[in-house]
Amino acid sequence: MKFSELNISKNLLENLNSLGYENLTPIQEKSLKHSLNGSDLVGKAKTGSGKTLSFCLPIVEKLDVKKFRVQALILAPTRELANQIAIEQRRVFRHIHNIKVLTLGGGVPFKPQVASLSHQAHIIVGTVGRVLKHLQEGHLNLENLHTFVLDEADKMLDMGFYDDILKIIEYLPKTRQTMLFSATYEDNIKNLSKELLNNPIFVEVENEEKAKINQIFYEVDENSEKEEKLDLIEKLIKKYKAQSTIIFCNQKITCDELNDSLYNRYIDSLVMHSDLEQKDRDETLAIFSNKSYPILIASDVASRGIDIDDIDLVINYEVALNEKIHTHRIGRTARAGKGGNAITFYTKNEEERVENIKNNFSDIVFDDKNSIEFDEKYEIDSPYRTIFINGGKKQKLRKADILGSLTAGLGLSKDEIGKIDSFDFCSYVAICKEKIEYVINNLPKSKIKGKYYRIFEK
């Protein structure tokens, strides 16, 4: 089915076509014919299935841009996912002038959000805890709301937000459209659906092809555990020639220790755990996702919201505490329908947890660590380096302005420029590593959109 077959406005259809949207994904096809008619809906769909458009289109078709009041609220389990949803909405809604999408997530200062709310918004995308706090303190008024969405509801419940979601419901108008999307449909989701939705239509993508993840477990000796694991990390990255590897640890102190150990072996890595402030999390994800660092070391809590499509390898430095966490970890290497490789290290005293995970997967292979074949000449490195620019959206600095300064200004080809990430007050640009020194030396001498900016390598 094509978007042109949907009952949507001409301007919205033209914008979708300009963004490259032509054919609906299965979850879009099954849900939009109901949600565009205003029905409450439960959609069972995994991350990467295109479900964001499934709730974006009903919102935009009902939106009254002249009424500068909150008309839609979208809840997400993490601030990273909330930001991604907001970015996608701004693209889908760009044919509408003066529409304001505001994100409300934790980990960032509260008062600036209060100031933004005082100027109102059309759509709020936020995390449960932060949205509830604004409601309880009277900063957020939802009396004009017509659409309420819970995205990745199963993750929200895993994080313990069931009661807080019910508290948020008390602030919503009784007459509204509610849509809930979840990768699973277990009893907790069923119970939440009964609390929130009115005669919902249930849609599910049947026989959805699962990406193949090759799972291999290696036992390591407790007496030489750290050194063995470090050796294995090097061998496995070289074996799979992985340009992007995520290594999961159970504790943030282990993340920091592993980062130091890899540094001592001249291997570059980044760390992401709960001690990082939001701006540092944003920077870490931007630099890793643009392939400027080959390894990201993450704790489980901090890794929620990581949505990077091409992770070559996941390594469980320690066995996950339970099967759900293990599933979440290895799923990082199977995004957008692609397969991947997931490795788990374990010791004798972790065998009980290993057995529990093994009982939930039929394709785990237990292999001998001494039989690993790898390319000794393979260099653990990244194809890009990242430059930091102290200007972003608040300075009206667009990605196109940066791209133009590098191509027309400095003579770089588009192939020598990677991903550009723009935040409120800064931007990150991936540059081919062979050109990084040239850019660092010359870009600060050139104006970008008529202004000089500070430029340095991250």
Side-chain angles (χ1 to χ4, degrees):
M1 186 174 179
K2 296 183 182 297
F3 282 96
S4 57
E5 298 176 58
L6 294 173
N7 183 25
I8 57 177
S9 67
K10 180 182 176 182
N11 288 339
L12 175 56
L13 180 60
E14 288 175 352
N15 186 44
L16 290 172
N17 289 337
S18 73
L19 292 169
Y21 291 119
E22 183 179 351
N23 297 311
L24 278 73
T25 66
I27 189 62
Q28 291 166 359
E29 185 169 342
K30 289 197 171 190
S31 64
L32 281 168
K33 59 186 177 183
H34 303 295
S35 59
L36 283 169
N37 291 330
S39 299
D40 281 11
L41 183 137
V42 176
K44 184 181 175 186
K46 65 179 184 178
T47 301
S49 60
K51 56 186 167 52
T52 304
L53 276 187
S54 297
F55 57 78
C56 278
L57 300 195
I59 289 173
V60 71
E61 287 293 83
K62 285 186 288 186
L63 195 75
D64 181 357
V65 74
K66 294 179 181 178
K67 183 193 287 186
F68 211 64
R69 295 291 185 271
V70 177
Q71 297 170 48
L73 171 64
I74 301 161
L75 294 182
T78 67
R79 52 203 176 207
E80 285 82 11
L81 181 57
N83 286 334
Q84 290 163 15
I85 292 170
I87 289 168
E88 179 66 6
Q89 285 197 320
R90 292 185 185 107
R91 292 174 71 239
V92 174
F93 302 163
R94 67 183 183 183
H95 64 289
I96 303 175
H97 296 296
N98 299 320
I99 190 167
K100 183 177 177 182
V101 180
L102 181 62
T103 55
L104 300 176
V108 296
F110 187 73
K111 287 185 178 179
Q113 293 180 348
V114 174
S116 292
L117 283 169
S118 69
H119 300 296
Q120 291 293 337
H122 294 102
I123 300 167
I124 299 293
V125 189
T127 55
V128 177
R130 184 54 63 95
V131 167
L132 181 58
K133 185 175 181 181
H134 281 294
L135 286 168
Q136 291 173 333
E137 296 193 10
H139 308 305
L140 178 57
N141 185 325
L142 299 178
E143 62 183 18
N144 292 282
L145 180 136
H146 55 62
T147 308
F148 177 52
V149 178
L150 290 95
D151 191 20
E152 301 201 2
D154 51 337
K155 290 184 181 178
M156 284 190 247
L157 299 192
D158 285 346
M159 296 165 76
F161 287 131
Y162 191 100
D163 291 339
D164 285 348
I165 291 171
L166 295 185
K167 289 177 185 176
I168 289 173
I169 297 305
E170 296 174 7
Y171 292 88
L172 304 182
K174 299 238 182 271
T175 303
R176 65 177 190 270
Q177 180 182 21
T178 302
M179 290 176 276
L180 181 152
F181 289 87
S182 174
T184 62
Y185 195 62
E186 298 174 359
D187 287 343
N188 56 356
I189 296 296
K190 292 177 184 177
N191 294 335
L192 184 63
S193 300
K194 290 176 184 176
E195 295 273 4
L196 304 187
L197 289 88
N198 180 30
N199 297 321
I201 293 168
F202 180 82
V203 296
E204 177 182 5
V205 178
E206 297 175 0
N207 301 320
E208 195 170 16
E209 186 178 344
K210 292 185 178 180
K212 172 66 175 174
I213 302 175
N214 299 312
Q215 289 202 67
I216 303 177
F217 281 49
Y218 293 103
E219 183 180 349
V220 296
D221 192 328
E222 294 172 25
N223 297 319
S224 55
E225 180 180 345
K226 288 186 178 180
E227 284 304 311
E228 277 196 22
K229 287 181 177 179
L230 287 170
D231 289 339
L232 286 171
I233 287 169
E234 283 197 57
K235 290 178 180 178
L236 290 163
I237 292 175
K238 291 179 177 181
K239 171 184 172 66
Y240 293 105
K241 296 187 170 149
Q243 290 190 349
S244 293
T245 300
I246 298 182
I247 304 177
F248 286 106
C249 303
N250 291 338
Q251 296 180 310
K252 55 192 175 186
I253 188 172
T254 312
C255 293
D256 290 331
E257 289 173 352
L258 177 57
N259 187 47
D260 291 340
S261 298
L262 290 174
Y263 177 80
N264 291 334
R265 290 188 174 215
Y266 303 100
I267 299 174
D268 291 329
S269 58
L270 295 163
V271 175
M272 193 166 76
H273 53 56
S274 57
D275 280 355
L276 294 184
E277 294 183 5
Q278 183 61 36
K279 61 183 177 62
D280 297 318
R281 290 166 64 96
D282 290 340
E283 178 177 280
T284 298
L285 277 179
I287 295 173
F288 179 66
S289 64
N290 72 17
K291 295 189 181 297
S292 291
Y293 275 74
I295 298 170
L296 174 67
I297 304 168
S299 64
D300 293 305
V301 173
S303 71
R304 288 206 175 268
I306 293 178
D307 190 14
I308 303 170
D309 287 342
D310 49 358
I311 302 299
D312 301 313
L313 178 64
V314 164
I315 297 176
N316 295 314
Y317 187 79
E318 300 165 297
V319 181
L321 299 178
N322 57 53
E323 177 266 336
K324 279 191 175 181
I325 294 175
H326 180 82
T327 302
H328 172 75
R329 286 179 175 186
I330 67 173
R332 301 307 91 193
T333 186
R335 313 297 276 181
K338 298 177 183 177
N341 300 291
I343 306 298
T344 300
F345 302 149
Y346 70 98
T347 60
K348 287 283 187 188
N349 61 14
E350 293 174 305
E351 285 185 340
E352 186 175 336
R353 266 188 275 159
V354 169
E355 193 64 27
N356 177 53
I357 292 170
K358 178 186 172 185
N359 290 337
N360 288 278
F361 294 91
S362 60
D363 56 353
I364 291 175
V365 174
F366 291 82
D367 208 349
D368 179 6
K369 60 180 180 283
N370 297 312
S371 66
I372 298 173
E373 297 180 0
F374 60 97
D375 183 355
E376 292 186 11
K377 295 180 181 179
Y378 181 79
E379 184 181 3
I380 301 176
D381 195 10
S382 294
Y384 294 99
R385 300 291 183 264
T386 295
I387 60 168
F388 169 91
I389 304 173
N390 72 322
K393 296 173 184 174
K394 296 294 185 182
Q395 289 76 34
K396 308 294 184 184
L397 188 62
R398 302 174 304 159
K399 294 180 182 181
D401 300 323
I402 297 170
L403 183 63
S405 69
L406 291 167
T407 53
L410 297 189
L412 270 67
S413 69
K414 288 188 177 181
D415 292 339
E416 293 171 327
I417 304 164
K419 189 179 173 191
I420 301 175
D421 289 287
S422 183
F423 296 94
D424 283 347
F425 298 102
C426 65
S427 302
Y428 299 92
V429 187
I431 303 292
C432 177
K433 63 184 180 183
E434 289 79 13
K435 291 288 185 176
I436 188 67
E437 187 175 347
Y438 171 75
V439 172
I440 290 295
N441 289 335
N442 291 281
L443 190 57
K445 303 171 189 175
S446 305
K447 289 183 179 180
I448 307 176
K449 204 176 181 180
K451 183 180 176 182
Y452 292 105
Y453 288 94
R454 281 194 303 119
I455 316 286
F456 54 85
E457 184 180 354
K458 294 301 291 186

